[in-house]
Every structure is written in C-alpha cells, then in structure tokens.
Amino acid sequence: MLKAYKYRIYPTSEQAILFAKSFGCVRWFYNYALNLTSETYKSSGKGLSRNDIIDLLPSLKKEYEWLTEPPSQCLQQVALDLSSAFWNFFEKRAKYPSFKKREQKQSIRFPQQVKLEGDYLILPKLGKVYCKVSRNPEGKLKSVTVSLTPSGEYYAASLYDDGKDKPVSSSEGKAIGIDMGINHYAITSDGTKHGNPKYYRKYELRLAKGQKLLSRKHKGSNNRNKARIKVAKVHNKITRCREDFLHKLSRKLVDENQVIVVENLAVKNMVRNSKLALAISDAGWGQFCTMLKYKSEWEGKIYIEVDRFFPSSKTCNNCLYKSDSLNLDIRSWQCPNCKITHDRDINAATNIRDEGLRLLAGGHLATASGQRVRPSKGTAFRGGVG
C-alpha cells in the first residue's frame, strides 16, 4: 500500500532561495504549458500530450537559462500534473485547469533520487534539509512533494510503498451509522453524540482583526506582506485544529467498528444556504468522510455511503413509518404508528446504518441488529416486524 507521511522541514537561507527559484520556475512552466495547450486545442482541436510538454523543455532552457537552476525532474513533473488536471476535468471531477499564482500555496515534486536519513531529507541540488520526523516511515520512499504555505512554512509529503497488499474487507463485527450535524458534529446509531468544536468561530475575532489591518496596508509594501502572513497564520491554525479533530474522531470510529455507513452529502449544494454556509464549511464533512474511507481500507473494514435522498430523518427506525414532512427545527418526534418518540439525529443514524447493511447484502432484504431493514409487503404502516 502507498502511504504518505507529512513532515515539517526547515531549510537554510541558501536552500530557501533555491526553493523559491524552483517554485517560480515550476509555476511559470505550468502556466506556459497550460496556455499553449489551450491555444493548440482552439486552433487544431487537439491538445498536447504529456510527452509533447516534456519535449518543450530543452528549447525553453536554451531560451531561458534560469530554467536550468531548479532540479530538472521537478519541471518534468509539471507534464504529469497538467495531464492529471485535464484528465480530472474530462472525467468531470474538477473544473478546467487554472493558472497558478504566486500568492497561493506553492509545491514541487521530486519523483526520484530522494532519501530520508535520520533527521535530514536529501533532495537533488538542495542537499540535506533538516526534517522534523514525528513518525518513522515504513517501506520504500517513492517521491517527495515539498510545499510552501502562505504563512511561510515548509512541509515535505513523503510517499512510501510498504510492499503490503490491502487487507481483505470483512463485514464480521459491529456496524455503525453516522449522521452529520452542526450542533453535534457526528451522531452515531449507538446513541453517541460527538460535539462540534467550530474552530472558525473560535478564531473568528482574531481573523477579523488581522484582515482589518491587512486592508489598511498599501499593496506591494513590506508592512502589507507582514500583515498577510499574520492572517495566513490564523487560517493555518484553524486548518490544523480542524484536521487534528477530524483525524482523532475518524480514527476512533474506525478502530471501534467494522462497518461504517454515512450519507453521501452534496456539500456544494448545501453551502448555497446563506444561513448555514459558514457552519457547513467550517465542519469539513467531506474531509471527514475521506478520512473514514481510506482509514477503513487500510484496516480491512467496510465504508459505505447511502444516497443523499434517503429519508433517514423522516422514517421511523422501528416500524418504518415515513413522515410526510419534518422541519429542521424539530429535534424529536413521535411516530404516529408505533408511538415511539425518536431523537431526530439518533433515529437518522440508525436508519443510515440499516440502509447501509441492506446495500451491503446486495440490495435484498437483510437484517441488522435483530430488526428487518425492509418490511414485507403491506407492513410499512403496522407496528413490529413484518
């Protein structure tokens, strides 16, 4: 399996200068190749292949001598990155590739000739770069991606191949359904409610003060750059706190359960609600589900997503009676059929778990926790199991 280990690195002043040159050259070549590919497609109806982009380098290096300063493999990697960007666009997984900007996060990739020896990362043309190794990696080092955040911090994402195959998934064990929320971040089918830390709200005042000072600085001045870095550090603090919370919660859920079922939420559509957009964006539901998915695959466990239109909140998990409507402000309701009072979120999580187990059984009638997931014909509005 391939696993990435992210480390903080501390380059010297000379290495930082070479990193800056490398970031600039890679960014320039990426924008050049993207513009040329777009113009070629407009004129001929065909774009440039990966090899076509790589073949541009020899002539460009003769014309622009500064392109020879960064490691050559970093420039060659641009062709792969641009091809992947176009492939994601044609597969409708992403928008049309956009030009890279200096103010955004910068990154370069070293696909070979890299080593990690003790506390030092050895990179071509850069030599030994001090690396804060928090965990000892396992396997063979495949590539290293060095990135520079807007706050001025350097990170190295090292990709390792441990030589092991993914474990065979098994459904033997505890199954759990997870309902995402705002007041409570995650509500599980066993009745546990995990609080929502709302890190953006926690640092909102500090961020507003920094942005106010930034807006008063003259563009292009050193004071504006200092103010920009302060704002970027607040954003970085929010991101790191959120990721720490999501990693710990996802690890806990994966360790304690064998089958994990969540809803396939359309977050892009949900943030169109102006009243809830900020809270939904701060929650990071998509990132949380991604963590659950890959951690489940590593452990040989099963991750399932049910359809977003599945009426998990409006359906009674006992008799499967479906309510016609259930407003968002109603947090508990009583089933008019079996007279059981439901906590809205726990009931939704239970239904999500049962629907996931039904899908796991091949879409046929299945049992979960001693109850039938789908009733027999004519039993939808009668108490008990059909």
Side-chain angles (χ1 to χ4, degrees):
M1 291 188 297
L2 296 176
K3 291 186 178 181
Y5 298 82
K6 190 175 182 180
Y7 302 124
R8 177 83 180 271
I9 61 174
Y10 299 86
T12 62
S13 57
E14 294 80 5
Q15 291 171 338
I17 293 174
L18 185 53
F19 270 131
K21 292 181 179 179
S22 301
F23 291 139
C25 292
V26 168
R27 183 177 63 250
W28 181 90
F29 183 50
Y30 183 93
N31 293 340
Y32 178 87
L34 174 58
N35 179 68
L36 184 60
T37 302
S38 301
E39 295 298 329
T40 304
Y41 181 80
K42 290 179 182 179
S43 59
S44 63
K46 294 183 179 180
L48 297 179
S49 66
R50 185 191 309 174
N51 293 332
D52 293 335
I53 297 175
I54 294 177
D55 292 340
L56 296 172
L57 280 174
S59 58
L60 288 175
K61 286 183 178 181
K62 293 180 180 179
E63 184 177 358
Y64 305 101
E65 294 183 358
W66 40 266
L67 282 176
T68 60
E69 295 183 10
S72 59
Q73 51 187 282
C74 296
L75 294 173
Q76 295 173 1
Q77 196 67 28
V78 170
L80 179 61
D81 294 340
L82 187 58
S83 299
S84 299
F86 273 109
W87 179 258
N88 291 331
F89 167 71
F90 291 126
E91 292 293 322
K92 298 182 179 180
R93 291 191 295 262
K95 296 181 180 180
Y96 191 83
S98 59
F99 294 107
K100 293 183 180 294
K101 298 181 180 179
R102 184 178 182 180
E103 296 79 12
Q104 297 174 347
K105 180 180 177 180
Q106 307 294 313
S107 65
I108 54 175
R109 184 178 295 112
F110 299 87
Q112 55 188 355
Q113 298 179 3
V114 289
K115 292 181 181 180
L116 180 61
E117 294 183 355
D119 293 334
Y120 289 92
L121 188 65
I122 302 177
L123 301 174
K125 285 194 175 183
L126 288 151
K128 292 184 176 182
V129 182
Y130 180 73
C131 181
K132 188 73 173 180
V133 179
S134 55
R135 288 186 301 167
N136 292 324
E138 298 179 358
K140 181 181 179 182
L141 182 58
K142 305 291 290 184
S143 65
V144 173
T145 302
V146 177
S147 59
L148 173 64
T149 64
S151 59
E153 298 176 351
Y154 291 86
Y155 291 92
S158 304
L159 183 64
Y160 279 84
D161 185 0
D162 59 9
K164 302 177 183 178
D165 296 329
K166 288 185 178 180
V168 179
S169 299
S170 172
S171 60
E172 295 296 327
K174 181 182 177 182
I176 195 170
I178 303 174
D179 181 51
M180 306 293 185
I182 294 177
N183 292 331
H184 292 90
Y185 188 84
I187 301 91
T188 58
S189 54
D190 59 6
T192 304
K193 295 185 177 182
H194 300 275
N196 188 356
K198 299 180 181 179
Y199 289 111
Y200 183 86
R201 292 295 187 187
K202 183 178 180 180
Y203 295 99
E204 187 176 20
L205 182 59
R206 186 190 304 181
L207 183 62
K209 289 181 179 179
Q211 290 173 332
K212 185 176 182 180
L213 293 175
L214 175 63
S215 65
R216 295 176 176 177
K217 306 300 180 183
H218 293 287
K219 291 186 177 181
S221 65
N222 290 332
N223 286 334
R224 180 179 176 84
N225 186 51
K226 292 178 182 179
R228 179 193 62 79
I229 293 176
K230 289 183 179 180
V231 172
K233 286 183 177 180
V234 179
H235 279 294
N236 190 35
K237 177 69 174 180
I238 296 172
T239 301
R240 288 189 289 110
C241 289
R242 184 187 297 118
E243 288 180 349
D244 180 72
F245 167 74
L246 296 181
H247 273 297
K248 290 178 179 178
L249 180 57
S250 59
R251 172 50 60 192
K252 175 181 173 62
L253 293 173
V254 171
D255 288 344
E256 295 178 352
N257 304 279
Q258 187 65 26
V259 180
I260 299 173
V261 190
V262 299
E263 276 187 301
N264 180 17
L265 298 174
V267 178
K268 289 184 179 180
N269 296 334
M270 297 173 69
V271 295
R272 294 177 182 176
N273 186 334
S274 58
K275 295 182 179 180
L276 299 176
L278 182 59
I280 293 173
S281 300
D282 187 23
W285 291 334
Q287 187 179 17
F288 178 64
C289 291
T290 300
M291 292 179 180
L292 286 175
K293 184 176 182 180
Y294 74 74
K295 289 178 182 179
S296 298
E297 292 177 353
W298 287 353
E299 302 295 333
K301 301 184 178 183
I302 298 178
Y303 170 85
I304 303 174
E305 290 185 355
V306 302
D307 190 81
R308 65 192 63 163
F309 298 108
F310 174 68
S312 58
S313 299
K314 298 187 294 183
T315 304
C316 173
N317 67 75
N318 180 57
C319 66
L320 302 183
Y321 170 84
K322 181 181 175 182
S323 177
D324 293 334
S325 63
L326 193 66
N327 294 332
L328 193 60
D329 58 341
I330 300 176
R331 308 317 301 173
S332 63
W333 61 283
Q334 185 180 46
C335 176
N337 184 48
C338 63
K339 307 304 180 182
I340 293 180
T341 301
H342 295 291
D343 180 285
R344 178 194 182 105
D345 299 325
I346 297 177
N347 175 66
T350 304
N351 285 323
I352 290 172
R353 179 202 62 191
D354 294 347
E355 177 68 8
L357 291 176
R358 185 187 71 86
L359 296 174
L360 184 61
H364 302 291
L365 196 64
T367 59
S369 303
Q371 294 183 353
R372 186 167 292 192
V373 178
R374 279 289 179 266
S376 300
K377 186 177 181 180
T379 63
F381 299 99
R382 294 202 300 268
V385 180

